[in-house]
């Protein structure tokens, strides 16, 4: 039916979604919460205000957004740059997505890279 109705999911996609739900256990949720706390605490220590309170962490940087995103990518960290018109002019941001599979070391390395990048992109 997915060939007839565009809203019908292919069976393989539905099975992948079910497999993902099976992996979403309490231990992974707790580990994700810990990683998000570590990232958000580290950002606060850098004096960087992060919006929201979940695992997707937006950081408003305005006109510096794309330069910061590019430098982070060159350092091995993908943080999507979100520009106008997706967000209002002056509210451009990078968006960091934290997962339960990120290690504390990876989060610390991202924070160090972001600190250095913010010094370079004034």
């Amino acid at each position: 039916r997915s060939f007839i109705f565009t809203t019908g999911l292919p069976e393989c996609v539905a099975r992948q979604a079910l497999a993902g739900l099976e992996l979403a256990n309490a231990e992974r949720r707790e580990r994700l919460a810990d990683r998000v706390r570590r990232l958000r605490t580290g950002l606060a220590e850098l004096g960087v205000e992060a919006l929201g309170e979940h695992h997707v962490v937006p950081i408003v940087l305005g006109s510096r957004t794309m330069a910061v995103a590019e430098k982070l990518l060159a350092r091995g960290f993908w943080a999507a740059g979100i520009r106008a018109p997706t967000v209002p002019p002056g509210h451009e941001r990078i968006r960091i997505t934290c997962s339960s599979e990120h290690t504390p070391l990876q989060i610390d390395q991202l924070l160090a890279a972001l600190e250095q990048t913010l010094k370079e992109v004034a």
Side-chain angles (χ1 to χ4, degrees), residues 33-48 50 57 107-108 111:
D34 175 69
R35 301 308 189 259
V36 170
R37 263 190 308 277
R38 184 181 197 98
L39 175 60
R40 288 182 174 278
T41 299
L43 290 169
E45 289 171 0
L46 293 177
V48 175
V57 183
I107 292 170
D108 293 345
L111 291 166

Side-chain angles (χ1 to χ4, degrees), residues 55-102:
H55 72 286
V56 177
V57 183
I59 303 167
V60 177
L61 298 171
S63 62
R64 302 183 301 163
T65 294
M66 296 315 293
V68 170
E70 288 170 14
K71 283 189 174 284
L72 286 175
L73 185 58
R75 290 185 163 111
F77 298 96
W78 186 68
I82 312 299
R83 299 177 274 191
T86 305
V87 295
H91 295 271
E92 296 86 359
R93 61 197 68 189
I94 61 169
R95 186 170 23 200
I96 300 168
T97 303
C98 195
S99 91
S100 63
E101 301 310 301
H102 286 117

